[in-house]
Amino acid sequence: GAGVSQSPSNKVTEKGKDVELRCDPISGHTALYWYRQRLGQGLEFLIYFQGNSAPDKSGLPSDRFSAERTGESVSTLTIQRTQQEDSAVYLCASSSGGGQAGQPQHFGDGTRLSIL
Amino acid sequence: GQSLEQPSEVTAVEGAIVQINCTYQTSGFYGLSWYQQHDGGAPTFLSYNALDGLEETGRFSSFLSRSDSYGYLLLQELQMKDSASYFCAVGSARQLTFGSGTQLTVLP
């Protein structure tokens, strides 16, 4: 498809397990973002990738969170030793250009993560 | 840092006009964006204002006053399908900071 694709759509796991979330951006989009959205709340910025530049990791809440992106393609967000407070929807977005504010971000449907 | 304030809930009837306000505090302002999110869905881009004034896109308009650090989203001829959450977001050079969202309920 032409949109941002995320997998899995839902993930239920036990506290303490590691999880890996995947994002396929729109082809040709150089900027890729990960956000976390808790129930009824806004989007919390996690990390930003722009081409081959060093990622902006300023939003990652702890060292249990990490993300990778190969070139301008797929990105994975990994959460190690999951905690119950990690339960949320994790959204990925991509945009063309340099990721400036005026470039619309195109979002995937998210991964709904539930930690038991 | 950056922070935004918008009302948590707004209710209006079908066919009416509703305005959702957003005030912000930011260092390094690159524009104000608006996104719509239906329950369980992905946020979708609605509009962007970099300069003062009104931008119109069909039934939706967005306004920005940089001197007042204030903007709003205006929805006209409300339809039931407009029931959703609306987020304002301020941009820096590289990323967006989102508000907590306004839940709009459109009543028949």
Side-chain angles (χ1 to χ4, degrees):
Chain A
V4 176
S5 177
Q6 292 188 244
S7 60
S9 55
N10 287 281
K11 177 71 175 179
V12 180
T13 192
E14 293 179 346
K15 176 182 172 181
K17 300 287 188 182
D18 297 352
V19 295
E20 187 173 279
L21 312 179
R22 176 187 170 103
C23 173
D24 279 285
I26 292 172
S27 178
H29 279 191
T30 57
L32 186 146
Y33 305 80
W34 283 99
Y35 295 91
R36 179 170 68 181
Q37 186 175 32
R38 293 198 167 103
L39 186 63
Q41 298 188 18
L43 282 71
E44 177 187 3
F45 167 77
L46 296 178
I47 189 168
Y48 160 65
F49 295 90
Q50 173 57 49
N52 293 315
S53 302
D56 178 351
K57 304 179 181 180
S58 60
L60 293 179
S62 78
D63 59 7
R64 296 187 296 104
F65 288 72
S66 63
E68 294 182 349
R69 186 184 188 194
T70 305
E72 295 181 357
S73 62
V74 171
S75 175
T76 55
L77 176 69
T78 301
I79 309 173
Q80 296 179 308
R81 306 181 303 281
T82 51
Q83 304 294 315
Q84 287 186 331
E85 64 262 27
D86 299 335
S87 295
V89 175
Y90 289 82
L91 290 159
C92 175
S94 69
S95 70
S96 61
Q100 290 89 347
Q103 297 289 337
Q105 295 188 15
H106 301 265
F107 284 82
D109 288 334
T111 294
R112 186 174 303 276
L113 178 63
S114 300
I115 308 300
L116 302 178
Chain B
Q2 291 155 316
S3 66
L4 301 96
E5 287 192 17
Q6 53 181 128
S8 59
E9 296 179 343
V10 172
T11 301
V13 297
E14 204 170 7
I17 299 172
V18 71
Q19 178 174 313
I20 300 174
N21 298 321
C22 176
T23 58
Y24 59 87
Q25 291 184 324
T26 182
S27 54
F29 179 77
Y30 283 76
L32 183 70
S33 301
W34 289 92
Y35 284 77
Q36 177 193 60
Q37 186 180 32
H38 287 97
D39 278 349
T44 56
F45 173 82
L46 290 178
S47 67
Y48 169 69
N49 294 69
L51 303 175
D52 290 353
L54 192 68
E55 295 282 341
E56 297 182 60
T57 307
R59 295 188 297 115
F60 293 2
S61 302
S62 57
F63 172 82
L64 174 65
S65 170
R66 288 175 296 170
S67 61
D68 296 321
S69 296
Y70 164 76
Y72 65 72
L73 179 69
L74 189 73
L75 297 86
Q76 302 182 71
E77 301 172 19
L78 281 175
Q79 302 176 9
M80 299 297 291
K81 67 179 182 180
D82 297 330
S83 291
S85 291
Y86 293 83
F87 296 89
C88 58
V90 292
S92 67
R94 302 204 303 170
Q95 58 173 274
L96 291 177
T97 299
F98 286 81
S100 297
T102 298
Q103 177 66 50
L104 171 64
T105 301
V106 180
L107 302 175

